[in-house]
Amino acid sequence: MEHPSVIRPADCAEWRPDRMGKGTIFESPRLLVGLIASEPGQFHALHAHARMDKVYQVVEGEGVILLEGRELPIKAGELVVAPEGVPHGIRNTGGQRLLVLAILAPAP
C-alpha cells in the first residue's frame, strides 16, 4: 500500500476460517498499524509487549478485550489502551465478524 493514502480497514482484512487473520497496514520505526480480523469464536491469545504501548480500536463487530485479568466488553467505535507490559488479548464473543485496528508505538 502506498502512503500517505486514505485507508479503508475492511478492504485490508484477511478473514481466515482456521484462525484469526492479522495484517500490517502501515509500519515505520515509530508506529505499527495492524489489523485483526476475527470470525466468531476466534481470539488473540493473552500476551504483553516490552517498550511499547498498544491501542485496540474496534472497527466493526463486538467482543471482549482481555486486560490485566479482566474481560472488558468492547464494540465498534470503542477503543482500549494496553500500556507497556500489561497482558492483553482479544476474543470475538459476538455472532458476527470482529475487525480491530491494533496500533503499537513505537513499532516492534
Side-chain angles (χ1 to χ4, degrees), residues 2 15 21 25 37 39 44 53 68 72 76 81 85 93 96:
E2 186 176 321
W15 301 102
I25 294 175
E39 297 286 0
H44 191 194
D53 300 316
E68 283 193 307
L72 306 172
V81 177
T93 57
Q96 305 294 321

Side-chain angles (χ1 to χ4, degrees), residues 41-103:
Q42 293 178 339
F43 63 94
H44 191 194
L46 201 62
H47 63 285
H49 302 278
R51 299 179 302 280
M52 69 181 71
D53 300 316
K54 186 174 197 175
V55 175
Y56 285 117
Q57 167 71 52
V58 180
V59 176
E60 64 183 57
E62 60 185 56
V64 172
I65 297 287
L66 311 170
L67 191 66
E68 283 193 307
R70 297 179 294 158
E71 293 191 1
L72 306 172
I74 192 166
K75 63 182 186 279
E78 297 178 337
L79 67 84
V80 169
V81 177
E84 172 188 9
V86 173
H88 57 277
I90 190 166
R91 184 171 53 238
N92 183 346
T93 57
Q96 305 294 321
R97 288 177 160 175
L98 174 64
L99 187 60
V100 179
L101 285 172
I103 304 162

Side-chain angles (χ1 to χ4, degrees), residues 2-26:
E2 186 176 321
H3 292 284
S5 62
V6 174
I7 300 167
R8 295 177 49 96
D11 294 343
C12 303
E14 180 186 335
W15 301 102
R16 300 176 53 114
D18 58 328
R19 63 181 170 90
M20 175 194 78
K22 288 177 65 177
T24 299
I25 294 175
F26 176 81

